[in-house]
Amino acid sequence: MKTNFIGAVVLCVFVCSADQMTTMAQNVSTEQVTTATSSGTTEATTATTEATTATTNVTAQTTPTTPNATSEAPTTNSTMEPTTKANTTSEGPTTAPTTAPTTAAPTPMPPKSTYKVMAGGKTCLIMEGSFRMMVTINKTTLIVDVPSDKEVNVTGMCASGNETESSITITPKSGALKSLTFDFKINKNKDMADKSELVSMSAEVMVDGKVEPISANKTLLVLSNPKLFYKCDVGSNFTADKVIFKYEQLKVQAFNVENEKFAENGEDCSEDVGPIPAPGNIPVNTYAVTEGNKTCIVFKGSMKFVIPYVAKSGNATEPVGLPEKFTVSGSCNTLLHGEVSQKMEVKFYEDWILTIYFTDSDNKTDVQNQLTADSSDKYFISQIELEYEYNSNLFVKADESVLGKKAKFTAANLTLWETGKDKSYMCNKESTINLSSKDGFELTVSKVQYQAFKKGNSNAFGDASECAADEETNSIVPIAVGAALAGLVIIVLIAYLIGRKRSRAGYEQV
């Protein structure tokens, strides 16, 4: 019985071992077959893909100008399996590459021309510029340029004496534009200077073989004082009835033309002047003067001038801040009153120029030595100049006697914001500098930091010398903190003494 049991066990072990070996053999065979099959499939797929890719490239090269044939690609599609098609899409293009759409360049404006209205053999109205009309009638849009003065006839009506109306009519000798008329009028104001205005426009344009009238009876542009010309180089446009009228390099004087030419002074449009910041929101700008690879002046701050002027109601002042739009120039080596200096010029509002001189405090007499600008221990702002123009965009209530005129203010012999060599001057607190006690010309600054006579080409500031106002502000904080702590200590001490006194009273009662 024991012998039979042992034999059965041996037989079972043998059978199980045989089964395991058979299973292993099957797995090995299966893996080999699968690997071989996969390899064969991969190689076939790769070969097919390469062939297909080659066919595709040839098609793209041989038919570059037939997008329809390329997009359909019948030869390529017929030779590809579904799997191969996916591989081909990932490895190579099946269609010609798409070309980015090109945007047509805008048509340039016509050249500037000058149109004059004559009365009694003399010029009484002048209008010049570059003009274009975009007319839309019955879903048809037509671009019409106003021809040059040599290709038109000009007529019109001029104002004389106390008359307040004038007009100009431009009649082209050929083309779609048949006539164009502008009407002007003087608008008299009680609190401000009188203004000339473009109050209406009318035109006749040929569209689809029919002459179409266009009119706009409303104020289209507020121009300048009638005694001045109005200028708008940047240009703009206005919409009227069925037309968008675009203009550039506009200059017009519809009244008070003398000596066959524009008046000596004029007013700029708001587009030429640029954005004007509100008096309470003057930007903090950074100005830098660079010559070659050397930056010698860096100035950062918010600046606002208070400028006296003559208003229609009498003497007045106007706050005018430096805007974000400006250009900077200057000199790293110059002389001011025989002293070594550097200067910064900031141009803004088209015709305004602010010039600030920074002077070496070592007053040497040798010019060649002065121009080195390296030997002084200190420097300061020695002169401030402002060239400006009385423009109604900035001086809204200005009297016509000053409008369009240019002026210049100079504050000389200053010793302002002195600081040491290789250092900057800084004053964050707002302060007002009275540049002229005679007429009230003031400069208000805040968040100022500047450095002149710099070396290198960096805009970074050196160690700062703080103004007295900032130092006072900085000293107030620790004093306040110290006073608060001292008060807290006193309160704690008083509370302790009171508590101790009560404790003793309790013991005495016991």
Side-chain angles (χ1 to χ4, degrees):
M1 190 74 179
K2 184 177 181 181
T3 302
N4 293 337
F5 176 78
I6 294 173
V9 171
V10 171
L11 180 60
C12 181
V13 170
F14 178 78
V15 172
C16 292
S17 299
D19 291 339
Q20 291 179 354
M21 293 178 64
T22 302
T23 303
M24 292 175 61
Q26 290 175 353
N27 292 338
V28 171
S29 300
T30 302
E31 291 175 0
Q32 290 177 349
V33 172
T34 303
T35 303
T37 303
S38 301
S39 301
T41 303
T42 303
E43 292 175 359
T45 302
T46 303
T48 305
T49 302
E50 292 176 354
T52 304
T53 304
T55 304
T56 303
N57 291 338
V58 170
T59 303
Q61 292 174 4
T62 55
T63 59
T65 59
T66 55
N68 293 334
T70 305
S71 61
E72 294 175 0
T75 305
T76 304
N77 290 338
S78 64
T79 60
M80 292 191 294
E81 297 292 335
T83 305
T84 307
K85 183 176 180 179
N87 291 340
T88 303
T89 303
S90 62
E91 293 183 9
T94 59
T95 59
T98 58
T99 303
T102 57
T103 303
T107 305
M109 291 285 287
K112 180 176 72 173
S113 293
T114 302
Y115 310 93
K116 297 181 178 181
V117 177
M118 309 293 291
K122 295 183 179 181
T123 301
C124 58
L125 188 156
I126 311 175
M127 183 176 184
E128 69 178 28
S130 173
F131 307 107
R132 169 171 292 164
M133 301 168 64
M134 182 178 293
V135 183
T136 302
I137 297 177
N138 299 328
K139 298 183 179 180
T140 299
T141 299
L142 186 67
I143 295 178
V144 181
D145 290 338
V146 179
S148 69
D149 55 300
K150 296 180 180 179
E151 302 172 285
V152 301
N153 294 318
V154 180
T155 57
M157 177 188 72
C158 292
S160 60
N162 295 325
E163 295 178 348
T164 59
E165 296 181 357
S166 64
S167 66
I168 180 173
T169 298
I170 300 171
T171 306
K173 299 175 182 178
S174 62
L177 178 64
K178 299 306 177 183
S179 68
L180 175 64
T181 300
F182 294 107
D183 297 308
F184 302 92
K185 186 176 181 179
I186 297 176
N187 183 12
K188 293 186 175 295
N189 297 290
K190 180 179 180 181
D191 299 325
M192 299 181 290
D194 296 343
K195 288 285 188 180
S196 60
E197 298 178 351
L198 174 58
V199 294
S200 67
M201 181 197 78
S202 60
E204 291 183 337
V205 180
M206 180 73 74
V207 180
D208 294 334
K210 181 182 178 182
V211 176
E212 297 284 353
I214 299 171
S215 63
N217 298 313
K218 63 178 183 179
T219 300
L220 303 172
L221 283 177
V222 177
L223 304 174
S224 60
N225 181 265
K227 296 180 180 180
L228 309 174
F229 65 79
Y230 174 84
K231 179 177 72 68
C232 196
D233 288 331
V234 173
S236 185
N237 61 75
F238 57 81
T239 302
D241 192 17
K242 309 162 189 175
V243 65
I244 298 175
F245 192 90
K246 182 178 181 180
Y247 57 90
E248 292 180 359
Q249 304 178 74
L250 174 64
K251 191 174 183 180
V252 57
Q253 185 169 349
F255 302 93
N256 301 297
V257 175
E258 297 179 358
N259 302 320
E260 309 290 319
K261 61 182 182 180
F262 287 109
E264 182 179 353
N265 298 317
E267 294 190 77
D268 299 319
C269 64
S270 59
E271 289 82 4
D272 283 359
V273 172
I276 302 172
N281 191 29
I282 309 301
V284 177
N285 298 324
T286 299
Y287 315 93
V289 176
T290 301
E291 286 187 351
N293 60 351
K294 177 183 178 182
T295 299
C296 59
I297 302 172
V298 179
F299 190 108
K300 182 180 74 172
S302 169
M303 292 188 282
K304 176 181 66 178
F305 286 92
V306 175
I307 303 174
Y309 73 103
V310 178
K312 196 167 184 178
S313 58
N315 293 332
T317 58
E318 185 70 27
V320 180
L322 269 68
E324 293 181 344
K325 183 181 176 182
F326 58 85
T327 58
V328 182
S329 60
S331 174
C332 294
N333 286 309
T334 188
L335 293 178
L336 179 66
H337 308 308
E339 299 178 358
V340 61
S341 301
Q342 295 180 340
K343 73 174 180 178
M344 176 182 75
E345 291 183 347
V346 182
K347 187 174 182 180
F348 55 102
Y349 296 146
E350 189 175 28
D351 296 321
W352 291 48
I353 301 176
L354 168 64
T355 304
I356 300 178
Y357 286 88
F358 307 87
T359 296
D360 189 329
S361 62
D362 187 359
N363 299 328
K364 297 181 294 182
T365 57
D366 187 345
V367 173
Q368 294 300 322
N369 288 337
Q370 283 180 327
L371 290 178
T372 62
D374 285 334
S375 60
S376 174
D377 291 329
K378 293 185 178 181
Y379 63 92
F380 52 89
I381 292 177
S382 58
Q383 187 162 303
I384 297 175
E385 300 173 355
L386 181 66
E387 299 177 48
Y388 57 99
E389 180 185 56
Y390 292 108
N391 189 299
S392 59
N393 292 288
L394 294 156
F395 301 89
V396 179
K397 297 182 179 181
D399 187 73
E400 63 181 30
S401 62
V402 298
L403 276 176
K405 292 185 177 180
K406 298 182 184 297
K408 182 177 180 178
F409 173 83
T410 301
N413 302 318
L414 302 174
T415 308
L416 185 64
W417 302 342
E418 186 177 59
T419 187
K421 181 182 178 182
D422 297 329
K423 288 188 176 183
S424 65
Y425 174 89
M426 182 173 68
C427 194
N428 288 312
K429 192 170 183 179
E430 181 176 288
S431 59
T432 298
I433 305 163
N434 189 353
L435 298 175
S436 173
S437 57
K438 180 180 179 181
D439 50 19
F441 212 105
E442 296 178 346
L443 171 62
T444 299
V445 297
S446 64
K447 299 177 182 178
V448 166
Q449 187 170 7
Y450 89 91
Q451 184 172 355
F453 299 98
K454 281 173 55 63
K455 299 177 182 178
N457 59 0
S458 171
N459 283 8
F461 291 107
D463 293 339
S465 299
E466 292 187 83
C467 64
D470 282 1
E471 290 178 351
E472 290 176 2
T473 302
N474 294 336
S475 63
I476 289 175
V477 175
I479 291 174
V481 172
L485 290 175
L488 183 61
V489 170
I490 292 172
I491 292 172
V492 171
L493 182 59
I494 293 173
Y496 169 75
L497 293 176
I498 292 173
R500 185 176 179 183
K501 185 175 182 181
R502 288 180 177 177
S503 297
R504 286 184 177 180
Y507 287 133
E508 291 175 356
Q509 290 177 0
V510 173

